[in-house]
Amino acid sequence: MATKPSIPKGTRDFLPEQSLKRQFIFDTARQVFQSYGYVPIETPAMENLDTLLGKYGEEGDKLIYKILNNGDYLSKASDEKIEARDSQALSVEISDRALRYDLTVPFARFVVQNQNELSFPFKRYQIQPVWRADRPQKGRYREFYQCDVDVIGSNSLLNEAELLCIIDDVFNQLGLGDVTIRINNRKILSGIAESAGLSGYFQEMTVAIDKIDKIGVDGVKQEMIRNGLPEAGVKKALNLIKLKGEPFGTLKMLAGAVTGAEEAYKGMEEVRTLLKALPEAVREKVELDLTLARGLNYYTGAIIEVGHPDFPSSICGGGRYDDLTGIFGLTGMSGVGVSLGADRIYDLMEAKDLFPKSIKASSEVLFVNFGDAEAMQCLKLAADLRSEGISAEVYPDGAKMKKQMKYADDKGVRVVIIVGEEELKNGMTAVKNMASGDQELVAQKELTSFILQTLR
Amino acid sequence: MATKPSIPKGTRDFLPEQSLKRQFIFDTARQVFQSYGYVPIETPAMENLDTLLGKYGEEGDKLIYKILNNGDYLSKASDEKIEARDSQALSVEISDRALRYDLTVPFARFVVQNQNELSFPFKRYQIQPVWRADRPQKGRYREFYQCDVDVIGSNSLLNEAELLCIIDDVFNQLGLGDVTIRINNRKILSGIAESAGLSGYFQEMTVAIDKIDKIGVDGVKQEMIRNGLPEAGVKKALNLIKLKGEPFGTLKMLAGAVTGAEEAYKGMEEVRTLLKALPEAVREKVELDLTLARGLNYYTGAIIEVGHPDFPSSICGGGRYDDLTGIFGLTGMSGVGVSLGADRIYDLMEAKDLFPKSIKASSEVLFVNFGDAEAMQCLKLAADLRSEGISAEVYPDGAKMKKQMKYADDKGVRVVIIVGEEELKNGMTAVKNMASGDQELVAQKELTSFILQTLR
């Protein structure tokens, strides 16, 4: 019993300061989302297993955490699978529920299940944890938060434009205004595949291109050829996706190179419309990057990825999907959304020291406890401070001064207030500013206004 | 695939308005907690199974959701248990992790594991979901949030007083100022047991007394006698715990009746100290209720329960525990805490219509979309409104006016703004107040100040 307790690999405890900083990121995002009319939903951590299975590919299915049925679960399982010790086959018989793997599939399920309660286009955000039985490594956890914002039930490209504005607002407010927003369009990629004679290999092509940051153009080329794609086509496609630079110019060059590929023209027109709908301040952060593919198969139009010069991987990504709710029986609902990488944003902000200094795991004011009578008076003074919005606490025990001051120091309290026997008698307090070390005598009557002046 | 999707029994989706209202409760609590110097922590949803097992009694163990190990979990399980189809014994071999059952045990684990990072007394709050495989029924869910606030590492009764002030502040801010705070002290109950000759039956006594609201005094009496407690002692104990009324008077009467029971005197002194430390406005809501026992064995001092005249069960409860972290090897840490019943508070506030009217699952302003050129102008105007803190959205599609107005109506938008071909030309807007139905022409230049005046 007395062994040192621990938590499962890949999960984390958050200490107060971390927790407050995370809260700051979420509150900032939430406030921006709401300013654009997006509203929150919450879905249960546990979904029915068959809601999740088959939605993330074979590999994904293996990473879903299944919840063991309660009670005598073995009595309902098939003898055959038990005898064969077939763990995988048995798991669906002994677990009806699983932990959500992302927020996208639960969102689709939510929209279909609650469609009669919703007004469309439905603009929602959702900030909740997800769980994946992935191999833990630096920056990759088994429990982590996703922060998704989507609109469903509208084809308009204004939605894409709005999402880019939202992203820009959030990052500006977090002090990360120097992001680069890379966009692409699946239809352009599909047109490039067509004009390179690779239409039959579209998925293999996008999966390979998706790795360009990791394995380079040559690596992508080799992978495509290894997978049986015709070499001439591979070369042509790779030449096209390498086009880069100012978006409108790039589109022009591309237009000359993919003549006849209808789908590509459609995609280019979409990109143009999106760019024109953006305010200048956002547009200048946008790059058209034809190498942006994003492996996820459900994307059908715009693809979005946000990067920051001081961070190696993307901190936000998303795109347009034309039939997400189809898997649950509701067709014809186009949607578009992005997901903020909360953990990465946290790490980046921490590295760049961007969290407001006011985020402290502490009250602003601590009253030293000199004994019962003095503490009683401090309780009243603390209540007065709180009523003016100043967080304040009274040290609960009449401990040694040194211990109480160490507590104030460790927590990062800004002001320590002392009411000793003498001060109690003559209605005074000694106020110590922890940053400057200055100490001042202040009448109890004037304490609140003095502290307000010091701290605000 | 196209069957209507559903979620596991006992879990819930939260629609936008519900989600916002829940957020309001949590934000209110969070802000009060922080004003007293309490800081947030977060622990993982998944704990190691052996962190949780054995902490909630045999019945509790059965209600813990276990997570099936990933990979070939059967290969590590004992053949014997598999052959015997022993579900319960097998479960600990095929699941290393489980979903947290409450926030108290994870908190104790957290304090022990992170003790070197914390300053004591450590004042923390924690607002996270918990999971229990209970039979779902009205008001009882398998996934629900707990909202706990505790201080650990201090014996001072000022902590109890502070928690009562916190409770009072939270409920005042939620419009539930008319709560009754019932308190008792385990030491008094223990002293009553002693003076009634029931010391050897203390646990049976408190478990029975705990049911007094449900089965009445006679029911409690019968249960105690059925469990083998001596009848004379049962009568004496029940006579004592029936004492009620103004706290100081009740304490006086009790003092005369339990002569010689040291523990009772200690408890009574604690109650007196606590009461004296309270501001008058809180003290007048406090009742000493000797029938308050709270089944949980780990309570050792104060017991707290908060009720509201319009709600059948308690909406908050807690108490002092002297050795919570002992189970993880850290002894001598006394703590006290309370837990707010978020779901019940939600239901009560909903029934009494107490949520602010400003909580609406909608932006405040909707711009009607008359086509591309008009929408572009609306995007700019909407951005201006947002920069003044007004939430605003542009309908993304150039849909029929009727459809757009229905959307505004369904969502509860407060103001609809129309920029048609003519308004676009002459720099005007038509502003419709949805509550009054009034429509007014406003110059685009003056729109922001006009809307600020209308809505703020």
Side-chain angles (χ1 to χ4, degrees):
Chain A
M1 210 39 115
T3 54
K4 196 173 183 327
S6 63
I7 50 177
K9 225 177 6 162
T11 69
R12 293 165 288 173
D13 278 333
F14 293 106
L15 290 163
E17 194 177 302
Q18 296 170 313
S19 201
L20 286 167
K21 287 176 175 171
R22 287 159 51 81
Q23 192 68 42
F24 175 75
I25 295 174
F26 294 139
D27 284 346
T28 303
R30 190 189 302 278
Q31 176 261 316
V32 172
F33 298 159
Q34 289 185 187
S35 77
Y36 284 82
Y38 286 72
V39 288
I41 68 163
E42 293 168 77
T43 64
M46 299 192 283
E47 292 277 352
N48 290 323
L49 183 58
D50 48 8
T51 297
L52 304 185
L53 280 185
K55 309 302 189 297
Y56 307 103
E58 215 174 301
E59 277 312 298
D61 277 358
K62 287 187 195 150
L63 303 184
I64 292 173
Y65 279 112
K66 292 157 198 82
I67 293 163
L68 193 59
N69 290 343
N70 285 77
D72 188 11
Y73 55 89
L74 284 176
S75 68
K76 288 169 210 145
S78 79
D79 282 331
E80 202 185 328
K81 282 162 194 164
I82 297 177
E83 303 306 339
R85 301 290 190 273
D86 186 343
S87 291
Q88 219 189 322
L90 186 65
S91 64
V92 301
E93 297 195 354
I94 63 176
S95 29
D96 296 337
R97 290 166 291 248
L99 292 178
R100 75 180 151 238
Y101 178 88
D102 71 0
L103 300 180
T104 308
V105 169
F107 174 51
R109 194 267 311 143
F110 175 97
V111 167
V112 178
Q113 191 174 333
N114 299 288
Q115 54 186 290
N116 296 329
E117 318 285 329
L118 308 175
S119 323
F120 293 96
F122 178 54
K123 302 162 93 173
R124 86 86 170 79
Y125 70 85
Q126 188 171 357
I127 303 175
Q128 292 194 287
V130 301
W131 294 268
R132 295 182 185 177
D134 238 326
R135 188 180 302 275
Q137 56 183 55
K138 189 174 156 30
R140 193 203 280 161
Y141 305 99
R142 288 180 161 174
E143 170 177 277
F144 58 97
Y145 267 67
Q146 289 198 333
C147 177
D148 281 19
V149 51
D150 289 79
V151 51
I152 193 161
S154 161
N155 295 304
S156 166
L157 290 160
L158 282 192
N159 297 301
E160 274 86 340
E162 186 170 77
L163 286 171
L164 295 192
C165 291
I166 288 176
I167 291 170
D168 187 53
D169 270 11
V170 171
F171 285 122
N172 277 334
Q173 291 203 23
L174 295 177
L176 295 168
D178 44 343
V179 293
T180 301
I181 302 172
R182 298 188 299 150
I183 61 166
N184 195 6
N185 192 296
R186 275 258 168 172
K187 296 191 180 87
I188 296 183
L189 287 177
S190 154
I192 288 177
E194 193 190 330
S195 78
L198 299 179
S199 285
Y201 307 91
F202 185 55
Q203 195 176 335
E204 288 87 344
M205 181 183 110
T206 52
V207 167
I209 290 177
D210 214 28
K211 300 177 186 159
I212 209 161
D213 282 347
K214 283 186 201 146
I215 60 177
V217 179
D218 271 351
V220 171
K221 186 176 164 187
Q222 279 157 32
E223 176 172 326
M224 286 163 86
I225 292 170
R226 213 171 35 242
N227 284 336
L229 277 66
E231 192 168 345
V234 168
K235 277 186 183 161
K236 177 160 190 202
L238 289 177
N239 268 331
L240 289 175
I241 66 161
K242 279 192 297 187
L243 292 175
K244 243 189 177 160
E246 187 277 317
F248 289 110
T250 308
L251 286 173
K252 241 180 220 160
M253 284 196 286
L254 184 65
V258 293
T259 37
E262 264 316 303
E263 196 71 355
Y265 284 102
K266 235 171 155 177
M268 289 188 272
E269 190 49 39
E270 286 188 12
V271 171
R272 257 184 234 108
T273 308
L274 165 56
L275 288 168
K276 281 184 199 154
L278 291 175
E280 186 50 35
V282 179
R283 187 163 52 223
E284 63 192 18
K285 295 180 187 174
V286 175
E287 274 178 16
L288 177 62
D289 182 349
L290 299 174
T291 68
L292 196 64
R294 285 184 79 85
L296 295 171
N297 260 323
Y298 53 69
Y299 288 127
T300 51
I303 308 173
I304 300 161
E305 217 167 86
V306 182
H308 188 278
D310 300 330
F311 206 75
S313 45
S314 74
I315 53 177
C316 172
R320 157 93 44 192
Y321 41 85
D322 271 344
D323 192 27
L324 193 64
T325 55
I327 47 175
F328 297 113
L330 181 67
T331 53
M333 286 291 237
S334 185
V336 55
V338 292
S339 183
L340 293 164
D343 284 305
R344 292 172 176 184
I345 294 170
Y346 180 99
D347 290 345
L348 177 56
M349 288 181 67
E350 197 66 297
K352 292 175 70 74
D353 197 18
L354 288 174
F355 287 106
K357 294 287 162 285
S358 59
I359 297 183
K360 250 190 198 157
S362 165
S363 52
E364 296 166 286
V365 173
L366 175 81
F367 287 87
V368 172
N369 186 328
F370 269 88
D372 289 352
E374 292 86 352
M376 288 298 170
Q377 184 59 19
C378 291
L379 287 177
K380 284 185 197 129
L381 296 170
D384 291 343
L385 290 178
R386 277 183 216 113
S387 70
E388 291 294 329
I390 297 162
S391 58
E393 61 184 301
V394 180
Y395 195 87
D397 304 274
K400 287 204 178 112
M401 185 71 175
K402 200 177 153 192
K403 189 176 173 190
Q404 299 191 42
M405 289 308 286
K406 184 177 182 321
Y407 173 85
D409 221 38
D410 286 347
K411 285 192 78 174
V413 165
R414 295 178 63 194
V415 167
V416 169
I417 299 176
I418 297 163
V419 179
E421 204 182 337
E422 185 140 340
E423 287 86 2
L424 184 64
K425 251 187 266 167
N426 57 25
M428 297 299 287
T429 65
V431 178
K432 180 168 183 175
N433 186 319
M434 296 293 278
S436 66
D438 295 346
Q439 189 159 322
E440 218 168 317
L441 278 177
V442 179
Q444 291 182 16
K445 267 193 254 172
E446 282 143 32
L447 183 65
T448 302
S449 60
F450 180 84
I451 297 292
L452 273 174
Q453 226 169 343
T454 310
L455 297 182
R456 295 287 183 266
Chain B
M1 210 39 115
T3 55
K4 196 176 183 325
S6 64
I7 50 177
K9 228 179 1 166
T11 70
R12 292 166 289 173
D13 277 333
F14 293 106
L15 290 163
E17 193 177 303
Q18 295 169 314
S19 201
L20 287 167
K21 287 176 174 170
R22 286 160 51 81
Q23 193 67 41
F24 174 76
I25 294 174
F26 295 138
D27 283 347
T28 304
R30 187 189 303 278
Q31 175 262 317
V32 172
F33 298 159
Q34 288 183 189
S35 77
Y36 284 82
Y38 287 72
V39 287
I41 68 162
E42 293 168 78
T43 63
M46 300 193 283
E47 293 276 353
N48 289 324
L49 183 57
D50 47 5
T51 298
L52 304 185
L53 280 185
K55 310 302 189 297
Y56 307 103
E58 213 174 304
E59 277 312 299
D61 278 356
K62 288 187 193 148
L63 303 183
I64 292 172
Y65 279 112
K66 293 157 198 82
I67 293 162
L68 193 58
N69 291 344
N70 285 76
D72 188 11
Y73 55 88
L74 284 176
S75 68
K76 288 169 211 148
S78 79
D79 281 332
E80 201 186 329
K81 281 160 194 167
I82 297 176
E83 303 304 337
R85 300 289 190 274
D86 187 343
S87 292
Q88 218 187 321
L90 186 66
S91 64
V92 301
E93 298 196 352
I94 62 176
S95 29
D96 295 337
R97 290 165 290 249
L99 293 178
R100 76 178 151 239
Y101 179 88
D102 71 359
L103 301 181
T104 308
V105 170
F107 173 51
R109 195 266 312 141
F110 175 98
V111 167
V112 178
Q113 190 174 333
N114 299 287
Q115 53 186 292
N116 296 331
E117 318 285 326
L118 308 175
S119 323
F120 293 97
F122 179 54
K123 304 162 91 173
R124 86 86 171 80
Y125 70 86
Q126 188 172 358
I127 303 176
Q128 290 193 290
V130 302
W131 294 268
R132 295 182 184 178
D134 239 327
R135 189 181 300 276
Q137 55 184 54
K138 190 175 155 28
R140 192 204 281 163
Y141 305 99
R142 287 180 163 173
E143 169 177 277
F144 58 97
Y145 268 67
Q146 289 197 334
C147 177
D148 281 19
V149 49
D150 290 79
V151 50
I152 192 160
S154 161
N155 295 303
S156 165
L157 290 160
L158 282 193
N159 297 301
E160 273 87 340
E162 185 170 77
L163 287 171
L164 296 192
C165 290
I166 288 176
I167 291 170
D168 187 54
D169 269 11
V170 171
F171 285 121
N172 276 335
Q173 291 202 25
L174 295 177
L176 295 169
D178 44 342
V179 293
T180 300
I181 301 172
R182 298 188 300 152
I183 61 166
N184 195 7
N185 192 296
R186 275 258 170 172
K187 296 192 179 86
I188 296 182
L189 287 177
S190 154
I192 287 176
E194 191 189 331
S195 79
L198 300 179
S199 284
Y201 306 92
F202 185 55
Q203 194 176 338
E204 290 88 344
M205 183 182 108
T206 53
V207 167
I209 289 176
D210 214 28
K211 300 178 186 159
I212 209 161
D213 281 347
K214 283 185 199 145
I215 61 176
V217 177
D218 271 351
V220 171
K221 185 175 164 190
Q222 278 157 33
E223 176 172 324
M224 287 164 83
I225 291 170
R226 212 169 40 240
N227 283 338
L229 278 66
E231 192 167 345
V234 168
K235 277 186 183 161
K236 179 161 187 203
L238 289 177
N239 267 332
L240 289 175
I241 66 161
K242 279 191 298 187
L243 292 176
K244 241 188 180 160
E246 187 277 315
F248 290 108
T250 308
L251 285 172
K252 237 179 221 160
M253 283 196 287
L254 184 64
V258 292
T259 37
E262 264 315 305
E263 195 71 356
Y265 284 102
K266 232 170 158 180
M268 287 188 275
E269 190 48 38
E270 287 187 12
V271 171
R272 255 184 235 108
T273 307
L274 166 56
L275 288 168
K276 282 183 198 154
L278 291 175
E280 185 52 34
V282 179
R283 188 162 52 223
E284 62 191 17
K285 294 180 188 174
V286 175
E287 273 178 15
L288 177 63
D289 183 348
L290 300 174
T291 68
L292 196 64
R294 287 184 77 87
L296 294 172
N297 260 324
Y298 52 71
Y299 289 128
T300 51
I303 308 172
I304 299 161
E305 216 167 87
V306 182
H308 188 278
D310 300 330
F311 206 76
S313 44
S314 74
I315 54 177
C316 174
R320 157 92 45 192
Y321 41 85
D322 271 343
D323 192 27
L324 192 64
T325 55
I327 46 174
F328 296 113
L330 181 66
T331 53
M333 286 291 240
S334 185
V336 55
V338 292
S339 183
L340 292 164
D343 284 306
R344 291 172 178 183
I345 294 170
Y346 180 99
D347 290 345
L348 176 56
M349 287 182 65
E350 198 64 299
K352 292 176 71 75
D353 198 17
L354 288 174
F355 287 105
K357 293 288 161 284
S358 59
I359 297 183
K360 249 188 200 159
S362 166
S363 53
E364 296 166 285
V365 173
L366 175 82
F367 286 86
V368 171
N369 186 328
F370 269 90
D372 290 352
E374 292 86 351
M376 288 299 170
Q377 184 58 18
C378 292
L379 286 177
K380 285 185 196 129
L381 297 171
D384 291 343
L385 290 179
R386 278 183 216 112
S387 70
E388 291 294 328
I390 296 162
S391 59
E393 62 184 302
V394 180
Y395 195 87
D397 303 274
K400 288 206 176 112
M401 184 71 174
K402 201 176 151 190
K403 191 177 172 190
Q404 298 191 43
M405 290 307 287
K406 185 178 180 317
Y407 173 86
D409 220 38
D410 287 348
K411 283 193 79 174
V413 165
R414 294 178 64 194
V415 168
V416 169
I417 299 176
I418 297 163
V419 179
E421 203 184 336
E422 185 139 341
E423 287 87 0
L424 185 63
K425 249 187 269 166
N426 58 25
M428 298 299 288
T429 65
V431 178
K432 182 170 180 172
N433 186 318
M434 296 295 277
S436 66
D438 295 346
Q439 189 159 319
E440 217 167 318
L441 278 176
V442 178
Q444 291 181 15
K445 267 192 257 174
E446 281 142 35
L447 184 65
T448 302
S449 60
F450 180 84
I451 298 292
L452 273 174
Q453 224 169 348
T454 311
L455 297 183
R456 296 287 184 267

Coordinates of all heavy atoms in Angstrom, one line a residue, chain B residues 200-239:
Chain B
G200 N -18.5 0.4 20.9 CA -18.1 -0.7 20.0 C -18.9 -0.8 18.7 O -18.6 -1.7 17.9
Y201 N -19.9 0.0 18.6 CA -20.8 -0.1 17.4 C -20.8 1.2 16.7 O -21.8 1.5 16.0 CB -22.2 -0.4 17.9 CG -22.4 -1.6 18.8 CD1 -22.3 -1.5 20.1 CD2 -22.6 -2.9 18.2 CE1 -22.5 -2.6 21.0 CE2 -22.7 -4.0 19.0 CZ -22.7 -3.9 20.4 OH -22.8 -5.0 21.2
F202 N -19.7 2.0 16.7 CA -19.8 3.3 16.2 C -20.2 3.4 14.7 O -21.0 4.1 14.3 CB -18.5 4.1 16.4 CG -18.5 5.5 16.0 CD1 -19.5 6.4 16.5 CD2 -17.6 6.0 15.1 CE1 -19.5 7.7 16.1 CE2 -17.6 7.3 14.7 CZ -18.6 8.2 15.2
Q203 N -19.5 2.5 14.0 CA -19.8 2.5 12.5 C -21.2 2.1 12.2 O -21.9 2.8 11.4 CB -18.8 1.6 11.8 CG -18.9 1.9 10.3 CD -17.9 1.1 9.5 OE1 -16.8 0.7 10.0 NE2 -18.1 1.0 8.2
E204 N -21.7 1.0 12.8 CA -23.1 0.6 12.6 C -24.1 1.8 13.0 O -25.0 2.0 12.3 CB -23.5 -0.6 13.5 CG -22.8 -1.9 13.0 CD -21.5 -2.1 13.7 OE1 -20.9 -1.1 14.2 OE2 -20.9 -3.2 13.6
M205 N -23.7 2.5 14.1 CA -24.6 3.6 14.5 C -24.6 4.7 13.4 O -25.7 5.2 13.0 CB -24.0 4.2 15.8 CG -24.9 5.3 16.4 SD -24.2 6.0 17.9 CE -23.6 7.6 17.4
T206 N -23.4 5.1 12.9 CA -23.4 6.2 12.0 C -24.1 5.8 10.7 O -24.8 6.6 10.1 CB -22.0 6.7 11.7 OG1 -21.2 5.7 11.3 CG2 -21.4 7.4 12.9
V207 N -23.9 4.6 10.2 CA -24.5 4.1 9.0 C -26.0 4.2 9.1 O -26.7 4.6 8.2 CB -24.0 2.7 8.6 CG1 -24.9 2.1 7.5 CG2 -22.5 2.8 8.2
A208 N -26.5 3.8 10.3 CA -28.0 3.8 10.5 C -28.5 5.2 10.6 O -29.5 5.6 9.9 CB -28.3 3.0 11.8
I209 N -27.8 6.0 11.3 CA -28.3 7.4 11.5 C -28.3 8.2 10.2 O -29.2 9.0 9.9 CB -27.3 8.2 12.5 CG1 -27.6 7.7 13.9 CG2 -27.6 9.7 12.5 CD1 -26.6 8.3 14.9
D210 N -27.4 7.8 9.3 CA -27.3 8.4 8.0 C -28.6 8.3 7.2 O -28.9 9.1 6.3 CB -26.2 7.8 7.2 CG -25.5 8.8 6.3 OD1 -25.5 10.0 6.6 OD2 -24.9 8.3 5.3
K211 N -29.4 7.3 7.6 CA -30.6 7.0 6.8 C -31.8 7.7 7.4 O -33.0 7.4 7.0 CB -30.9 5.5 6.8 CG -29.7 4.7 6.1 CD -30.0 3.2 6.1 CE -28.8 2.5 5.5 NZ -28.7 1.1 6.0
I212 N -31.6 8.5 8.4 CA -32.8 9.1 9.2 C -33.8 9.8 8.3 O -35.0 9.8 8.5 CB -32.3 10.0 10.3 CG1 -33.3 9.9 11.5 CG2 -32.0 11.4 9.9 CD1 -32.6 10.4 12.8
D213 N -33.2 10.5 7.2 CA -34.1 11.3 6.3 C -35.0 10.3 5.6 O -36.1 10.7 5.2 CB -33.3 12.1 5.3 CG -32.8 13.4 6.0 OD1 -33.2 13.7 7.1 OD2 -31.9 14.0 5.4
K214 N -34.5 9.1 5.3 CA -35.3 8.2 4.4 C -36.2 7.3 5.2 O -37.3 7.1 4.8 CB -34.3 7.3 3.7 CG -33.6 8.0 2.5 CD -32.8 7.0 1.7 CE -31.8 7.7 0.8 NZ -30.5 7.0 0.7
I215 N -35.7 6.8 6.4 CA -36.5 5.8 7.1 C -37.0 6.3 8.4 O -37.7 5.6 9.1 CB -35.7 4.5 7.3 CG1 -34.4 4.7 8.1 CG2 -35.4 3.9 5.9 CD1 -33.7 3.4 8.4
G216 N -36.7 7.5 8.8 CA -37.2 8.1 10.1 C -36.5 7.5 11.3 O -35.7 6.6 11.2
V217 N -36.8 8.2 12.5 CA -36.1 7.8 13.7 C -36.4 6.3 14.1 O -35.6 5.6 14.5 CB -36.5 8.7 14.9 CG1 -35.9 8.3 16.2 CG2 -36.1 10.2 14.5
D218 N -37.7 6.0 13.9 CA -38.1 4.6 14.2 C -37.4 3.6 13.4 O -36.9 2.5 13.9 CB -39.6 4.4 14.1 CG -40.4 4.8 15.4 OD1 -39.7 5.0 16.4 OD2 -41.6 4.9 15.3
G219 N -37.3 3.9 12.1 CA -36.6 3.0 11.2 C -35.1 2.8 11.6 O -34.6 1.7 11.6
V220 N -34.5 3.9 12.0 CA -33.1 3.9 12.4 C -33.0 3.0 13.7 O -32.1 2.2 13.8 CB -32.6 5.3 12.7 CG1 -31.2 5.2 13.3 CG2 -32.5 6.1 11.4
K221 N -33.9 3.3 14.6 CA -33.9 2.5 15.8 C -34.0 1.0 15.6 O -33.2 0.2 16.1 CB -35.1 3.0 16.7 CG -35.2 2.4 18.1 CD -36.3 3.0 18.8 CE -36.7 2.2 20.0 NZ -37.9 2.7 20.7
Q222 N -35.0 0.6 14.7 CA -35.1 -0.8 14.4 C -33.9 -1.4 13.8 O -33.5 -2.5 14.1 CB -36.3 -1.0 13.5 CG -37.6 -1.0 14.3 CD -38.8 -0.6 13.4 OE1 -38.8 -0.9 12.2 NE2 -39.8 0.0 14.0
E223 N -33.3 -0.6 12.8 CA -32.1 -1.1 12.2 C -31.0 -1.4 13.2 O -30.3 -2.4 13.1 CB -31.6 -0.2 11.1 CG -30.3 -0.7 10.4 CD -29.9 0.1 9.2 OE1 -30.7 0.6 8.4 OE2 -28.6 0.3 9.0
M224 N -30.8 -0.4 14.1 CA -29.7 -0.6 15.1 C -30.0 -1.8 16.0 O -29.0 -2.6 16.3 CB -29.6 0.7 15.9 CG -29.0 1.9 15.1 SD -29.2 3.5 15.9 CE -27.9 3.6 17.1
I225 N -31.2 -2.0 16.4 CA -31.5 -3.1 17.3 C -31.3 -4.4 16.5 O -30.7 -5.4 17.0 CB -32.9 -3.0 17.8 CG1 -32.9 -1.8 18.8 CG2 -33.4 -4.3 18.5 CD1 -34.3 -1.4 19.3
R226 N -31.8 -4.4 15.2 CA -31.6 -5.6 14.4 C -30.2 -5.9 14.2 O -29.8 -7.1 14.2 CB -32.2 -5.3 13.0 CG -32.8 -6.5 12.3 CD -33.6 -6.2 11.1 NE -33.1 -5.1 10.3 CZ -33.7 -4.0 10.0 NH1 -34.9 -3.7 10.5 NH2 -33.1 -3.1 9.3
N227 N -29.3 -4.9 14.2 CA -27.9 -5.2 14.1 C -27.2 -5.5 15.4 O -26.0 -5.6 15.4 CB -27.2 -4.0 13.4 CG -27.5 -3.9 11.9 OD1 -27.8 -4.9 11.3 ND2 -27.4 -2.7 11.4
G228 N -28.0 -5.7 16.4 CA -27.4 -6.2 17.7 C -27.0 -5.2 18.6 O -26.3 -5.4 19.6
L229 N -27.3 -3.9 18.4 CA -26.9 -2.8 19.4 C -27.9 -2.9 20.6 O -29.1 -3.1 20.4 CB -27.0 -1.5 18.7 CG -25.8 -1.1 17.9 CD1 -25.7 -1.9 16.6 CD2 -25.9 0.4 17.5
P230 N -27.4 -2.7 21.8 CA -28.2 -2.8 23.0 C -29.3 -1.7 23.0 O -29.0 -0.6 22.7 CB -27.2 -2.6 24.1 CG -26.0 -2.1 23.5 CD -26.0 -2.5 22.1
E231 N -30.6 -2.2 23.3 CA -31.7 -1.3 23.1 C -31.6 0.0 24.0 O -32.0 1.1 23.5 CB -33.0 -2.1 23.4 CG -34.2 -1.3 22.9 CD -35.5 -2.2 22.9 OE1 -35.4 -3.4 23.0 OE2 -36.6 -1.6 22.9
A232 N -31.2 -0.2 25.2 CA -31.1 1.0 26.1 C -30.2 2.0 25.5 O -30.5 3.2 25.5 CB -30.7 0.6 27.5
G233 N -29.1 1.6 25.0 CA -28.1 2.5 24.4 C -28.6 3.2 23.2 O -28.5 4.4 23.0
V234 N -29.3 2.4 22.3 CA -29.9 2.9 21.1 C -30.9 4.1 21.5 O -30.8 5.1 20.9 CB -30.7 1.8 20.3 CG1 -31.5 2.4 19.2 CG2 -29.7 0.8 19.8
K235 N -31.7 3.8 22.5 CA -32.7 4.8 22.9 C -32.0 6.1 23.3 O -32.4 7.2 23.0 CB -33.6 4.3 24.0 CG -34.7 3.5 23.5 CD -35.7 3.1 24.6 CE -36.8 2.2 24.2 NZ -37.4 1.5 25.3
K236 N -31.0 5.9 24.2 CA -30.3 7.1 24.7 C -29.6 7.9 23.6 O -29.8 9.1 23.5 CB -29.2 6.6 25.7 CG -28.4 7.8 26.3 CD -27.7 7.6 27.6 CE -27.2 9.0 28.1 NZ -26.0 8.8 29.0
A237 N -29.0 7.2 22.7 CA -28.3 7.8 21.6 C -29.3 8.6 20.7 O -29.1 9.8 20.3 CB -27.5 6.8 20.7
L238 N -30.4 8.0 20.4 CA -31.4 8.6 19.5 C -32.0 9.8 20.2 O -32.4 10.8 19.5 CB -32.4 7.6 19.1 CG -31.9 6.6 18.0 CD1 -33.0 5.6 17.7 CD2 -31.4 7.3 16.8
N239 N -32.2 9.7 21.5 CA -32.7 10.9 22.2 C -31.8 12.1 22.1 O -32.2 13.2 22.0 CB -32.9 10.6 23.7 CG -34.4 10.1 23.9 OD1 -35.3 10.5 23.2 ND2 -34.5 9.2 24.9

